[in-house]
Amino acid sequence: MREIILIKYGEIILKGLNRSRFEDLLIGNIKKALPKDSFKSVRKSQAITYVEPDDGADVDDIIARLQKIFGIVFIARAGVFPKDMDVILKEGPEYLAPYMELVDTFKVEAKRSDKKFPFDSPAISREMGGAVLRRSRHLKVNVAEPGTIVRVEIRENEAYVYADIARVAGPGGMPTGSNGRATLLLSGGIDSPVAGYMLAKRGVELNAVHFFSPPYTSDLAKEKVIELGRILAGYTGKYSLYIVPFTEQQLAIRDNCPEEHLTLIMRRMMMMVAERLAKKSKSLALITGESLGQVASQTIHALGVTNEAVKDLPVFRPLVGMDKDEIVSVARKIGTFETSILPYEDCCTVFVPKHPTTKPVLGKVLQSQSKIDMEYWVNKAVDETEWVLIEG
């Protein structure tokens, strides 16, 4: 007996005449994420995508990879049967038996795309319910609150049988690449990987920029960020990471600008560098992990001053209304938390002022910023940037 993996999605269904474009993107992303020798085909039909595993393939590994692909709502491992009711009733309950041992009650729901099939949906449900009860005698039918739903789908060329208890959730969202490209300012902390994940979930293809300040930040800090990038790439696919040497820039700011504005001027320079790199990579926006009021540089006044440094691109802050516990919860879910809390400092923790201003005035910050040649230092940072390809 063959098995197939059924992939169902949510928002893609609502795309009307554009739906096929999103489905094709999803299929392309699935093929990129799976080892080439693990599947025979990936195809779509009637709002479902089908992955047919290759003979001897590790189906559990395939499903684990699918669980990280944006656009997928759930994944079901299903038995494949000929469109013969006698075969379905004989072999279907045997296929389901290991799953039905996990529950006490069930009901059956059937769909019949082929209207020429001699049994209608209520009859299929009734007959399969009886066959399952005969095979797994501990079960009872409960149509109101079943322990699981057994599903029988009669499609064009074959029939599929599976139980909801065996299906697993995908991440949802929209397929990567369906909503343009943006550049993530990726630090070594908890917040920015979560911000990247959340925008990627909306179909955004990522690039990332990391600011690196040796000897104040170590090679271990750099490797930590690359590892965070790899974890993200498990969801997004491979992408470019730009590592920007930033020591001289921070020293220039520290030595020439008023202490209360150090962090703000540093953030403004980072945004200017990130915007230049974003444009080079044809990104349409910047992404940061800032959360309103979390630190002095993330007050509403400070964010306004930071935004002014970005002239042409929108800045997305998906965490702006989230508290730390909510952010940590997402970080744990996506697997970045344990890496983020490794004790290697990033450049944002270097030269932190003792008394930063929380209500900065743009004019005063610009006056402080005029003490250094911003254009020179931004150009120098862009010119010395290192490029790394990040793969999951």
Side-chain angles (χ1 to χ4, degrees):
M1 187 209 70
R2 291 164 49 220
E3 273 196 312
I4 201 164
I5 299 169
L6 310 182
I7 294 170
K8 300 197 177 184
Y9 32 80
E11 287 184 68
I12 295 177
I13 296 292
L14 307 176
K15 296 304 178 181
L17 296 177
N18 294 318
R19 191 176 89 189
S20 62
R21 181 176 77 86
F22 291 89
E23 290 174 326
D24 290 344
L25 269 172
L26 179 60
I27 287 173
N29 292 341
I30 290 169
K31 290 180 177 179
K32 290 176 187 175
L34 299 181
K36 293 189 186 309
D37 60 354
S38 68
F39 62 93
K40 294 179 179 178
S41 66
V42 182
R43 56 186 171 83
K44 63 179 179 179
S45 178
Q46 297 179 323
I48 299 177
T49 294
Y50 301 85
V51 175
E52 183 165 3
D54 205 349
D55 297 335
D58 185 341
V59 177
D60 290 334
D61 178 68
I62 292 174
I63 290 173
R65 291 171 184 266
L66 293 174
Q67 283 185 276
K68 291 185 174 182
I69 298 177
F70 295 121
I72 296 175
V73 173
F74 74 78
I75 305 139
R77 188 171 179 162
V80 182
F81 302 93
K83 286 165 53 177
D84 181 320
M85 198 64 181
D86 289 337
V87 175
I88 293 170
L89 294 179
K90 179 181 178 182
E91 298 183 10
E94 289 297 326
Y95 172 74
L96 293 169
Y99 304 115
M100 306 311 287
E101 291 297 323
L102 305 175
V103 295
D104 297 320
T105 61
F106 77 105
K107 73 173 181 178
V108 179
E109 291 187 1
K111 289 184 179 179
R112 184 184 61 148
S113 299
D114 179 4
K115 301 305 179 185
K116 295 180 181 179
F117 191 71
F119 292 79
D120 62 14
S121 295
I124 296 169
S125 297
R126 184 171 57 252
E127 294 295 325
M128 178 59 87
V132 170
L133 286 172
R134 287 190 294 274
R135 171 60 182 81
S136 301
R137 295 185 177 277
H138 70 286
L139 290 172
K140 293 182 180 179
V141 173
N142 185 335
V143 296
E145 296 182 356
T148 192
I149 299 174
V150 169
R151 300 188 186 272
V152 182
E153 299 186 5
I154 308 297
R155 297 289 179 173
E156 294 88 343
N157 301 313
E158 51 200 8
Y160 307 120
V161 175
Y162 64 96
D164 277 5
I165 194 171
R167 72 183 190 180
V168 295
M174 301 299 297
T176 300
S178 63
N179 210 4
R181 178 183 296 153
T183 294
L184 170 68
L185 279 75
L186 181 63
S187 73
I190 296 170
D191 301 343
S192 59
V194 174
Y197 170 87
M198 292 179 70
L199 260 294
K201 186 176 178 179
R202 301 308 308 155
V204 175
E205 185 180 353
L206 294 183
N207 285 326
V209 176
H210 175 65
F211 294 87
F212 179 54
S213 297
Y216 301 100
T217 55
S218 67
D219 285 340
L220 289 173
K222 182 177 176 181
E223 288 303 317
K224 169 184 170 180
V225 169
I226 290 173
E227 178 58 25
L228 286 172
R230 290 192 188 106
I231 296 170
L232 271 182
Y235 297 93
T236 66
K238 62 185 178 182
Y239 61 89
S240 295
L241 171 62
Y242 301 99
I243 299 178
V244 182
F246 207 56
T247 309
E248 292 181 80
Q249 286 79 355
Q250 286 190 281
L251 290 172
I253 294 168
R254 183 199 65 179
D255 293 343
N256 294 282
C257 301
E259 184 188 21
E260 68 270 18
H261 292 156
L262 294 184
T263 301
L264 281 170
I265 296 171
M266 179 194 71
R267 293 292 299 171
R268 284 173 58 83
M269 189 180 291
M270 286 178 168
M271 299 295 273
M272 294 167 73
V273 172
E275 185 177 32
R276 301 272 182 95
L277 293 171
K279 288 180 177 179
K280 284 188 173 185
S281 64
K282 295 182 169 53
S283 286
L284 303 175
L286 300 180
I287 307 167
T288 79
E290 291 158 314
S291 172
L292 189 62
Q294 188 175 113
V295 294
S297 63
Q298 295 176 22
T299 65
I300 197 166
H301 301 80
L303 293 178
V305 169
T306 302
N307 269 6
E308 195 275 340
V310 183
K311 302 304 182 185
D312 298 320
L313 301 182
V315 180
F316 295 143
R317 296 180 171 93
L319 313 187
V320 70
M322 297 174 67
D323 64 34
K324 200 66 176 184
D325 286 343
E326 292 171 317
I327 297 167
V328 166
S329 177
V330 179
R332 290 185 186 278
K333 182 181 79 170
I334 67 175
T336 56
F337 179 75
E338 294 300 330
T339 301
S340 291
I341 62 173
L342 292 174
Y344 309 127
E345 291 188 332
D346 61 46
C347 71
C348 292
T349 61
V350 178
F351 311 135
V352 175
K354 292 181 180 179
H355 303 291
T357 180
T358 58
K359 294 184 179 181
V361 176
L362 177 60
K364 292 183 178 180
V365 175
L366 292 175
Q367 185 177 359
S368 297
Q369 180 181 296
S370 69
K371 306 295 184 182
I372 61 171
D373 186 343
M374 287 287 280
E375 189 69 14
Y376 168 79
W377 289 114
V378 169
N379 287 335
K380 183 175 174 60
V382 172
D383 291 343
E384 295 177 355
T385 293
E386 172 191 357
W387 174 83
V388 179
L389 179 65
I390 301 295
E391 299 183 82

